[in-house]
Amino acid sequence: MGLTSAMNTAVFGIAYNQRQLDVTASNIANADTVGYSKKTISAEVFFDGTGNVAGMSATEVRRIVDEQIQTDYFNSLADTNYAKQISSFTDRLDDIFGTLDDNSSLSALAGDLSSALAILVNDPGNYAAQNDVVAVADAFARELNASYEQIADLRQEADHALKTQTETVDGLLASIEDIDSAIRDAAMSGISTADMEDERDRLVEQLSGYLDVNVFKDTNGTLFIQTANGQQLYADNKASTLSFTPTHLLQPGQSGNTVLVTTPGGTSYDLIAGSRSGAMVAMAELRDDILVEAQAQLDTIAAEVSLAFSNVTVDSTAVTVAPDDGFDLDVSAIQPGNTITLEYTDTGGNPQTVTLVAVEDPSLLPLDDSATARADDTVFGFDISSGTPATYITNIATALGATGLQVLNNGSDELRVLGDVGAPTTVESLSAEVTVTAHSDQGLGLAIFVDSRDTPELFTDALEDGGQRLGYAHAISVNPDLLADSALLVNYQTTPTANTANDPARAQYLSEAMTSGTTYFDPGTGIGSSSTPFQGSVIDFVHQTVAFQGNQAEDASTYADSKEALTMNLAIRYEESYSVDLDMELAFMVQLENAYAANARVMQTINELFDELLNIV
């Protein structure tokens, strides 16, 4: 190596040392800056034809980031934020329902109502005992009202949060577009983009908490961002725009609006449907699924406790029309939503159960089997809009036409169902569940609760207008007639003679209806399934609902904790991969200073040698 080559090497070395000193000083100064990644100089040495150093480029500043850990960390943010939102809301939902040991919970109030009825059975003429039943029933209804309203508020809160999140994500995408443009321009001009890439990473990190996105780098260093199912959010340095219209008042069972994405090309798609995780997905799921399910549980409690008290069984009368046997049933008291249950053996010798559901709106027909909670029945609807039992029977005969049974009017406007020896089919039982419309002379049932959405009216579980059950928990109230006269809890008969003031029959019926009577509960509440619906008493279902909410909150909390622990570990590893180690940087600066001094010494020596040569010449 000649002196000139040595001189060039020393000069290049000093230039490199100077540049690296600048970068190292910046690393030390920004060691505590959030999101700042360690930088280093990428040096490229050029040689001449004889192998001597002809030049060196030391202008490219590179970031030290483990991109695999970064990807894993960003991906985990969506799951963690999703889990945290679900956990937060289900915990609040659990507080609304209370615990089995909470004296003010639905479970406790249901128990109080059951206890008050049991006390009344032992002393039905006691005015204080009657009033206690009414007071507890009123507290139970008000708790259902308040719980429903609180859940409705949570739904509105989730809807508002989704609006805020939409605006935030739209802003993040716009910011990514701006910084990406700056990175592209800087790269084309040969300017370092390392600090701008740090800023872009911070934006992508924030975005990843809202949605589970797939992020790729284009060949020019800009980004390409997709939703989990591959829909475009950002491409070709153009951000899609997000829009969301909040719902002022979410009605019972109503789903809120979704978040729409419009790409630069003008196509639109549903962002929530295209994503699997993240805070935005959690809010939409809470608003439209989890909280709606909780409201359905309250509606079911309100509906079933009302029906348990107000519905009575109308039994049929056995009849033989030789050679066939069957039953006659009075259907004159049938109300919308009331049911007739028929059990028979078909031509193949198989037992069959049919549930006939009364409707006033024929456009609802035909009904499918999901119209009842039972899994083992076939459901038919029949029109009672005429108000004429004879027409009811004609409609029922039409509905049952394919069963092989003989369905007809017995001549007294009663439903007659006969088997057919020739078919052969046999009728095993026939009965109806009917809502009483008066306080006496219709059996032991009593409408303790009514639907107060407009003027107080009977709750019959009608299917019209989306179903009377939908939103009923918000409107259930104690029957005003009962509030005015608590003796209705005892007085059930006026003709031919009135029952006595100490007759426990009605109180006993009401008490057993809540604690002993069993029914199938709607699997749409999340308790039980369509194939194995929950079966039990009203109070059993109340306890099950409270336990369900507690378990749901606990499971969500456990899941959130596990996801957060994973994200924290990845965050630590990610930070370690890019963060500045002050000790290492200071030590490296000492090395650079020594190298700088060595290069300077080389230059000084070469200068002295050149002087010697000149002196010799």
Side-chain angles (χ1 to χ4, degrees):
M1 178 185 296
L3 292 179
T4 302
S5 177
M7 175 69 76
N8 288 339
T9 301
V11 170
F12 296 146
I14 286 177
Y16 170 76
N17 292 149
Q18 182 61 55
R19 185 70 176 120
Q20 188 68 72
L21 280 168
D22 291 341
V23 171
T24 303
S26 178
N27 285 341
I28 294 171
N30 289 283
D32 294 328
T33 301
V34 176
Y36 178 86
S37 63
K38 178 181 176 180
K39 309 296 189 303
T40 187
I41 292 295
S42 176
E44 185 176 2
V45 181
F46 305 99
F47 299 93
D48 60 19
T50 61
N52 296 319
V53 175
M56 182 173 64
S57 173
T59 58
E60 182 184 357
V61 179
R62 293 190 299 109
R63 303 186 308 148
I64 305 299
V65 176
D66 189 320
E67 293 188 352
Q68 183 58 57
I69 294 178
Q70 181 189 64
T71 299
D72 292 342
Y73 168 59
F74 286 178
N75 288 341
S76 74
L77 286 172
D79 289 342
T80 297
N81 283 11
Y82 170 88
K84 287 170 67 176
Q85 295 289 356
I86 298 293
S87 178
S88 174
F89 272 73
T90 53
D91 185 59
R92 294 164 67 184
L93 196 55
D94 184 37
D95 288 340
I96 292 172
F97 278 80
T99 65
L100 296 177
D101 299 326
D102 183 358
N103 291 332
S104 63
S105 69
L106 280 173
S107 182
L109 289 171
D112 291 344
L113 181 55
S114 175
S115 298
L117 286 168
I119 292 171
L120 185 63
V121 171
N122 295 324
D123 192 4
N126 187 311
Y127 178 75
Q130 295 172 5
N131 277 351
D132 190 42
V133 171
V134 175
V136 175
D138 185 57
F140 183 69
R142 290 178 185 276
E143 181 62 25
L144 283 169
N145 300 158
S147 297
Y148 196 93
E149 186 171 352
Q150 289 177 70
I151 296 173
D153 289 342
L154 288 180
R155 293 192 68 205
Q156 291 295 156
E157 182 180 332
D159 192 67
H160 179 74
L162 202 52
K163 176 180 182 296
T164 302
Q165 291 170 346
T166 300
E167 293 171 350
T168 301
V169 170
D170 194 56
L172 286 172
L173 289 172
S175 296
I176 290 173
E177 179 179 319
D178 291 341
I179 194 67
D180 236 15
S181 296
I183 289 173
R184 181 194 58 193
D185 294 344
M188 293 176 62
S189 302
I191 300 172
S192 171
T193 63
D195 288 334
M196 288 183 282
E197 289 180 64
D198 283 347
E199 182 180 349
R200 187 176 64 183
D201 280 353
R202 290 193 288 273
L203 294 172
V204 174
E205 180 178 359
Q206 293 177 59
L207 178 65
S208 298
Y210 293 102
L211 296 165
D212 49 340
V213 293
N214 298 318
V215 183
F216 310 96
K217 279 188 179 180
D218 285 341
T219 54
N220 63 357
T222 58
L223 297 184
F224 181 71
I225 304 176
Q226 294 178 326
T227 63
N229 70 347
Q231 298 276 18
Q232 177 182 325
L233 277 174
Y234 179 82
D236 299 325
N237 202 215
K238 295 291 183 182
S240 300
T241 57
L242 276 61
S243 61
F244 173 75
T245 303
T247 305
H248 175 65
L249 182 61
L250 289 162
Q251 297 299 323
Q254 174 192 3
S255 294
N257 294 318
T258 191
V259 179
L260 290 178
V261 177
T262 304
T263 67
T267 59
S268 296
Y269 64 88
D270 182 341
L271 178 63
I272 303 302
S275 307
R276 293 189 297 264
S277 191
M280 296 183 77
V281 175
M283 283 304 165
E285 185 176 324
L286 284 161
R287 182 195 62 186
D288 296 337
D289 296 323
I290 295 174
L291 296 175
V292 170
E293 181 182 80
Q295 288 180 318
Q297 291 171 358
L298 294 177
D299 285 338
T300 299
I301 292 172
E304 296 299 341
V305 74
S306 295
L307 296 175
F309 293 142
S310 64
N311 276 16
V312 295
T313 300
V314 178
D315 294 318
S316 58
T317 303
V319 63
T320 299
V321 180
D324 302 311
D325 296 326
F327 298 90
D328 286 351
L329 178 68
D330 181 4
V331 295
S332 61
I334 290 285
Q335 303 293 312
N338 288 171
T339 60
I340 298 171
T341 302
L342 166 67
E343 294 182 339
Y344 72 99
T345 302
D346 66 17
T347 56
N350 303 307
Q352 302 289 342
T353 299
V354 169
T355 303
L356 294 155
V357 182
V359 300
E360 283 189 323
D361 181 1
S363 68
L364 296 174
L365 301 177
L367 300 179
D368 60 39
D369 290 346
S370 65
T372 70
R374 292 187 65 162
D376 60 348
D377 66 342
T378 301
V379 177
F380 296 102
F382 66 99
D383 180 13
I384 63 168
S385 60
S386 65
T388 307
T391 307
Y392 301 174
I393 295 168
T394 300
N395 295 336
I396 292 171
T398 301
L400 296 178
T403 61
L405 300 170
Q406 302 176 66
V407 184
L408 62 155
N409 191 321
N410 70 353
S412 299
D413 288 341
E414 291 184 339
L415 173 66
R416 173 170 289 176
V417 183
L418 301 172
D420 189 339
V421 173
T425 56
T426 58
V427 182
E428 311 300 337
S429 67
L430 180 67
S431 63
E433 289 295 314
V434 176
T435 306
V436 297
T437 57
H439 304 317
S440 60
D441 302 320
Q442 291 187 350
L444 297 174
L446 174 67
I448 291 180
F449 299 108
V450 293
D451 187 343
S452 62
R453 268 174 278 209
D454 295 315
T455 56
E457 61 180 6
L458 283 175
F459 180 83
T460 64
D461 210 12
L463 300 182
E464 284 71 21
D465 299 321
Q468 190 179 12
R469 180 175 297 220
L470 184 63
Y472 178 48
H474 191 242
I476 186 174
S477 64
V478 173
N479 192 329
D481 294 342
L482 184 59
L483 290 171
D485 182 10
S486 62
L488 293 174
L489 291 165
V490 179
N491 301 331
Y492 63 90
Q493 182 174 300
T494 60
T495 59
T497 58
N499 66 294
T500 67
N502 287 314
D503 186 344
R506 172 168 273 181
Q508 184 72 43
Y509 178 86
L510 298 173
S511 179
E512 291 178 353
M514 188 168 188
T515 58
S516 302
T518 60
T519 188
Y520 292 94
F521 290 85
D522 180 11
T525 61
I527 298 174
S529 66
S530 57
S531 59
T532 55
F534 179 80
Q535 185 179 13
S537 68
V538 172
I539 201 164
D540 289 337
F541 185 77
V542 174
H543 293 331
Q544 188 70 24
T545 299
V546 172
F548 173 90
Q549 292 297 336
N551 292 335
Q552 178 179 249
E554 184 177 355
D555 291 344
S557 178
T558 300
Y559 181 71
D561 288 345
S562 65
K563 286 297 180 182
E564 189 167 14
L566 173 62
T567 299
M568 287 297 296
N569 287 333
L570 286 171
I572 292 170
R573 292 177 58 197
Y574 173 51
E575 186 175 354
E576 288 174 346
S577 77
Y578 72 76
S579 62
V580 175
D581 185 323
L582 280 176
D583 291 338
M584 290 182 63
E585 292 299 304
L586 289 170
F588 185 49
M589 182 168 281
V590 171
Q591 294 177 22
L592 291 172
E593 290 173 351
N594 291 335
Y596 192 94
N599 282 311
R601 179 59 181 162
V602 168
M603 291 182 66
Q604 181 181 357
T605 301
I606 293 172
N607 185 56
E608 291 173 353
L609 290 173
F610 272 120
D611 288 341
E612 288 291 333
L613 287 172
L614 290 173
N615 290 333
I616 293 173
V617 174

